[in-house]
Amino acid sequence: MIKTALLFGSIGTVMETSDVQRRAYNQALKEAGLNWVWTREIYAELLSQSGGQERLAMLASATGTNLSAQQIEAIHTRKTELACSELMSHQTQPRPGVSELTKWAKTRQMKLVFVTTTYQPNIDAIFKSAGNALSENDFDYVGNRTHVVHGKPSPEAYLNALKHLDIAPEQAVAIEDTAVSVMSAKRAGLQVIATPGDISKGQDLWQADLVCDALLDVDEKRDPRVLALLA
């Protein structure tokens, strides 16, 4: 079946944000008086749980730390403020190949979708940081945490996007960066290209149809394996 839609999943598929988020978590946790320091290795393991507040609740339960829902929300809100501030102040650019592939997809009249379940301030920061390289107006649909009841690996976010576009899963290809997010797209019946980020590179992405470091090949051209899946 002809592919008519390209679905970018987590914000990490369009911009390298994981270490920014990790540092912001550490600062927010410190400000909250918690002696939790997340190294890159620890954060890589925590990424197996989708959703920042869910991740904090899981860790609080595992360590016997008494954190109320209000405290978890406050920590997460502060983390988001710190991460967004850093992203926008450094004018972080999209990952290699993202801008090129979105432009290529638009020339083929493909729908572009951002199927993230993160919170809206993170999405706003991504697009503001990207400047002219990537715009929210490039996308036909942009999801956020308020659009779903269940986060990834539930397929809900993808199913919502497919319903909004009125297309079948066979018509779309998803791009994801972590194992739990790949699982979400596969559960929705999509083919998936996995482009792990710096921190998620060690994850087992066996469910993906294609795994590549970036959407550009070694010659900084569109990766022919990516184009083959989108053909």
Side-chain angles (χ1 to χ4, degrees):
M1 182 175 287
I2 295 174
K3 305 300 183 184
T4 60
L6 177 60
L7 284 64
F8 286 88
S10 312
I11 57 175
T13 62
V14 299
M15 191 172 286
E16 185 57 65
T17 62
S18 292
D19 210 46
V20 173
Q21 299 285 338
R22 180 187 68 84
R23 293 194 298 272
Y25 270 118
N26 282 339
Q27 180 60 32
L29 290 166
K30 181 180 179 181
E31 291 177 8
L34 290 169
N35 189 28
W36 292 352
V37 178
W38 294 353
T39 64
R40 289 172 63 89
E41 292 73 22
I42 290 173
Y43 193 56
E45 294 182 17
L46 291 172
L47 288 177
S48 63
Q49 168 68 56
S50 179
Q53 293 192 45
E54 292 84 355
R55 199 174 296 132
L56 287 166
M58 176 190 71
L59 194 57
S61 176
T63 59
T65 304
N66 186 22
L67 285 180
S68 67
Q70 291 76 18
Q71 287 175 302
I72 289 174
E73 183 177 358
I75 293 169
H76 188 265
T77 297
R78 178 58 177 153
K79 182 277 304 181
T80 299
E81 291 173 352
L82 292 165
C84 291
S85 176
E86 180 174 343
L87 284 172
M88 290 186 290
S89 65
H90 288 78
Q91 286 290 292
T92 310
Q93 291 298 292
R95 292 181 62 183
V98 170
S99 295
E100 292 84 350
L101 188 60
T102 56
K103 291 175 183 177
W104 176 87
K106 289 176 77 69
T107 65
R108 297 174 66 90
Q109 286 75 54
M110 296 180 73
K111 299 289 186 181
L112 286 175
V113 187
F114 200 11
V115 193
T116 176
T117 55
T118 192
Y119 293 83
Q120 189 62 43
N122 288 320
I123 299 170
D124 295 339
I126 288 291
F127 288 122
K128 186 172 182 178
S129 178
N132 295 329
L134 193 69
S135 167
E136 187 168 358
N137 293 328
D138 292 328
F139 292 85
D140 298 278
Y141 173 86
V142 177
N144 64 46
R145 187 65 181 87
T146 66
H147 294 172
V148 297
V149 176
H150 305 289
K152 298 171 182 178
S154 165
E156 183 181 356
Y158 278 102
L159 295 176
N160 287 347
L162 294 171
K163 182 178 180 181
H164 179 84
L165 296 174
D166 192 25
I167 61 173
E170 295 81 11
Q171 294 175 271
V173 173
I175 298 174
E176 279 292 5
D177 66 331
T178 64
V180 68
S181 296
V182 168
M183 188 184 302
S184 171
K186 294 303 290 185
R187 286 179 174 178
L190 282 76
Q191 286 187 301
V192 184
I193 300 168
T195 57
D198 287 343
I199 291 182
S200 60
K201 281 182 179 177
Q203 294 187 359
D204 188 354
L205 301 167
W206 66 273
Q207 286 189 308
D209 297 277
L210 172 65
V211 180
C212 51
D213 290 336
L215 297 172
L216 291 176
D217 64 15
V218 292
D219 297 320
E220 294 192 352
K221 299 177 180 178
R222 289 182 294 270
D223 192 318
R225 299 172 301 165
V226 173
L227 300 185
L229 279 178
L230 293 173

